Amino acid sequence: MNILMVLTSHDQLGDTGKKTGFWLEEFAAPYYVFKDAGAKITLASPKGGQPPLDPSSDTEDAQTDDTRRFKSDEAAQQQLANTAKLSTITDDGFDAIFYPGGHGPLWDLAEDGDSRTLIESFAASDRPIGAVCHAPAVFRDPSNADGSPLVSGKKVTGFTNTEEEAVGLTDVVPFLVEDMLIENGGEYRKGDDWASFVVVDGKLVTGQNPASSAEAARKLLELL
């Protein structure tokens, strides 16, 4: 079982002068769900190499068993430091694709043509696609074969407007995940803020926030 995980390469939080990137738990939790299930994991990002880590996800209060495991796992750290360049990746040989969040994807992966092509290929061949927290931003541009937005008519979730408000970034982000999914015709669902909430519709798996990361990865595996 081969799973492709796609991370952001974007590290600027709008024009705040602060750093962003991927959210550590949203990478580490799914990574170990897949790894412990025996999957072969390939990591990619638009620029390749080491993806930027959102410093807010690296604070003591943001740590989980999975992030602590990652911090003592040199092989995983090496793999993360050497992500493949997304433009060199085709969908060939992969059984599923998964996008960890963090605010970074709102800027780069949401607009990335290579990512869009991959998502459309996985959807057309009915292979599982997963994204958690801010990563459903990657569904902004991909379309179905008939030209309709990929999420149109599908049950989806993603970081809520109220969660974005709670972290004070409503006016910083280029768009709000919840609003975009609704505008694209998605049947947006949400649970309580910060609690695990995952939606599965066909082969599309979306998680609402960092707490949903492991569950989203498990649901993706169930589809394989």
Side-chain angles (χ1 to χ4, degrees):
M1 160 168 74
N2 287 328
I3 298 178
L4 176 62
M5 291 181 80
V6 181
L7 295 109
T8 182
S9 291
H10 184 87
D11 71 350
Q12 295 298 315
L13 191 58
D15 48 19
T16 61
K18 293 184 177 146
K19 292 289 190 192
T20 187
F22 74 93
W23 197 261
L24 186 56
E25 182 186 4
E26 295 169 31
F27 164 70
Y31 180 87
Y32 288 118
V33 168
F34 300 148
K35 195 176 166 69
D36 294 347
K40 178 174 182 281
I41 304 166
T42 299
L43 305 180
S45 63
K47 292 179 181 169
Q50 174 73 55
L53 173 64
D54 186 318
S56 305
S57 71
D58 205 21
T59 57
E60 193 43 51
D61 62 348
Q63 300 316 300
T64 64
D65 288 347
D66 291 310
T67 65
R68 283 186 281 269
R69 180 175 169 188
F70 174 73
K71 284 174 186 284
S72 58
D73 183 344
E74 278 185 30
Q77 290 169 32
Q78 271 304 106
Q79 190 180 2
L80 183 67
N82 294 285
T83 65
K85 209 168 178 179
L86 197 54
S87 58
T88 67
I89 298 280
T90 68
D91 64 316
D92 252 14
F94 290 109
D95 301 302
I97 188 170
F98 188 90
Y99 288 81
H103 282 89
L106 293 171
W107 279 275
D108 66 350
L109 289 171
E111 310 201 335
D112 190 284
D114 297 313
S115 173
R116 177 181 176 169
T117 301
L118 282 168
I119 290 169
E120 291 176 348
S121 302
F122 276 85
S125 51
D126 200 32
R127 282 174 286 175
I129 301 168
V132 70
C133 198
H134 284 90
V138 302
F139 302 133
R140 194 181 69 177
D141 293 343
S143 324
N144 295 303
D146 63 5
S148 63
L150 184 84
V151 296
S152 180
K154 291 195 176 73
K155 296 190 257 314
V156 285
T157 190
F159 207 58
T160 66
N161 289 355
T162 46
E163 286 168 326
E164 200 66 83
E165 208 172 293
V167 296
L169 294 173
T170 305
D171 298 331
V172 173
V173 294
F175 61 92
L176 295 165
V177 175
E178 177 179 333
D179 288 356
M180 178 277 291
L181 290 170
I182 293 167
E183 280 159 21
N184 272 8
E187 291 182 23
Y188 183 82
R189 307 283 163 91
K190 60 185 168 184
D192 294 336
D193 283 2
W194 312 115
S196 177
F197 184 77
V198 175
V199 174
V200 181
D201 191 328
K203 295 288 174 69
L204 186 64
V205 180
T206 46
Q208 180 177 314
N209 48 32
S212 316
S213 306
E215 181 66 10
R218 285 194 288 270
K219 294 287 190 201
L220 190 81
L221 279 182
E222 282 171 19
L223 296 174
L224 289 175

